[in-house]
Amino acid sequence: MHDRLGERRPHRVIVFAFDGVRLMDVAAPLEVFATASGGARAYTVEVCTPDGRDVTTSTGLRISADLPSARVDHAGTLVVPGPADLGALEERPALVDQVRLLAGRAQRVAAVCTGAFALAAAGLLRGRRATTHWEHAADLARRHPDTTVTPDAIFVQDGPILTSAGVTAGIDVCLALVEQDQGPEAARRVARDLVVFLQRPGGQSQFSVASRTSATAHPILRPLLDAIAADPAADHSPRALARNAGVSPRHLSRLFREQADTTPAAYVETMRLEAARIMLERGESVTATARRSGLGSDETLRRVFARHLSTTPSAYAARFRTTGTAHAGV
């Protein structure tokens, strides 16, 4: 977009806020785009509300409005934060109507957290892939079967529509947009300024392995889980695990399914993947990471990263090498 003198105009970002919106869902995009704009004014960032009046967030903090939604005639990016109470969308259908109208005037649309429900209700996710906060992913899929919900992703982009997981994932998706607009160095600069990780790959899980695994104090399984975490590269084949636990492989599989909702092999692989991620973040080479994590070869490491994170080990490691996060503790 250019003005009559041929100079590039700032990219206009509109954040749609309403009563009951989550504060962080609004604040995170504002912070990312304002920081990315800097002195060059690459972005103009405005908050619009249904009627142009201030709104009260779910925390009770009030947010000032720059303009009413009716006065938004165009936007480069529309950001739709999520409500703390999903019932607000059903009780106030006018909110969905406004999202639909605003989206029609925007080049691209990004939802934060449960903002995906507003996009889906407005028909914007029909036939598309999307994600949302893990706690509401099943509900989104049930309510909108015409949308393919990826429940565990940090964010998902399908054409000009982006959806993201809860709260801090709003930072990730906005950093991804900054990278698309201005390149990776600009996104790295913003990440450093905000003291956050350069955006996590969209396909990365919303949780670590430990937080996804049900806590268990089972006298047989707990020592095995601790042993896998302590030394992921050791022999943790189902047969070896069963031998160490003094049970049959079949009985061990049943315990894993009942207590951890997974299989022994799948659990070991995900723990090795998590170990590999930590090693790469700390600057280990791909080959050394594959060996020390227990995944064995570069090719196995690549396959596991592709299956779980939708990226490559080299690309994952590059994010930390270029931002200095491995050394700065960011």
Side-chain angles (χ1 to χ4, degrees), residues 67-84:
L67 73 169
S69 58
R71 283 181 47 200
V72 177
D73 56 357
H74 75 278
T77 300
L78 170 67
V79 178
V80 180

Side-chain angles (χ1 to χ4, degrees), residues 46-125:
E46 300 166 272
V47 175
C48 82
T49 62
D51 54 10
R53 299 177 182 177
D54 296 355
V55 296
T56 303
T57 68
S58 59
T59 67
L61 186 69
R62 294 185 67 80
I63 294 179
S64 299
D66 293 304
L67 73 169
S69 58
R71 283 181 47 200
V72 177
D73 56 357
H74 75 278
T77 300
L78 170 67
V79 178
V80 180
D85 179 7
L86 284 175
L89 298 177
E90 297 177 353
E91 297 166 2
R92 301 161 62 191
L95 287 178
V96 174
D97 293 338
Q98 288 174 316
V99 167
R100 185 183 298 109
L101 290 173
L102 288 168
R105 299 166 186 168
Q107 296 172 18
R108 65 189 180 195
V109 181
V112 182
C113 195
T114 54
F117 283 81
L119 298 195
L124 300 174
L125 298 184

Side-chain angles (χ1 to χ4, degrees), residues 93-265:
L95 287 178
V96 174
D97 293 338
Q98 288 174 316
V99 167
R100 185 183 298 109
L101 290 173
L102 288 168
R105 299 166 186 168
Q107 296 172 18
R108 65 189 180 195
V109 181
V112 182
C113 195
T114 54
F117 283 81
L119 298 195
L124 300 174
L125 298 184
R126 189 172 297 120
R128 295 187 185 274
R129 295 177 299 108
T131 192
T132 189
H133 189 286
W134 64 269
E135 192 173 21
H136 302 292
D139 192 20
L140 180 64
R142 179 183 57 79
R143 294 191 193 190
H144 302 281
D146 55 359
T147 301
T148 301
V149 178
T150 304
D152 202 26
I154 295 294
F155 66 87
V156 170
Q157 179 166 11
D158 191 332
I161 307 294
L162 299 94
T163 50
S164 62
V167 190
T168 59
I171 295 177
D172 294 292
V173 72
C174 290
L175 283 172
L177 293 176
V178 170
E179 183 170 349
Q180 290 176 20
D181 295 340
Q182 301 183 37
E185 182 52 41
R188 286 192 286 269
R189 176 179 60 81
V190 175
R192 286 194 296 267
D193 186 271
L194 299 181
V195 197
V196 297
F197 285 106
L198 180 61
Q199 88 267 6
R200 296 164 286 182
Q204 181 174 321
S205 171
Q206 295 181 28
F207 298 101
S208 66
V209 174
S211 65
R212 292 199 306 272
T213 302
S214 301
T216 177
H218 193 281
I220 293 177
L221 197 58
R222 183 72 261 168
L224 291 181
L225 300 185
D226 291 342
I228 295 168
D231 186 7
D235 181 5
H236 297 306
S237 65
R239 187 173 296 278
L241 290 173
R243 182 175 61 250
N244 292 338
V247 298
S248 69
R250 176 175 294 183
H251 182 56
L252 182 69
S253 294
R254 185 164 58 251
L255 286 176
F256 263 86
R257 181 62 65 189
E258 293 173 352
Q259 299 290 322
D261 194 27
T262 188
T263 66

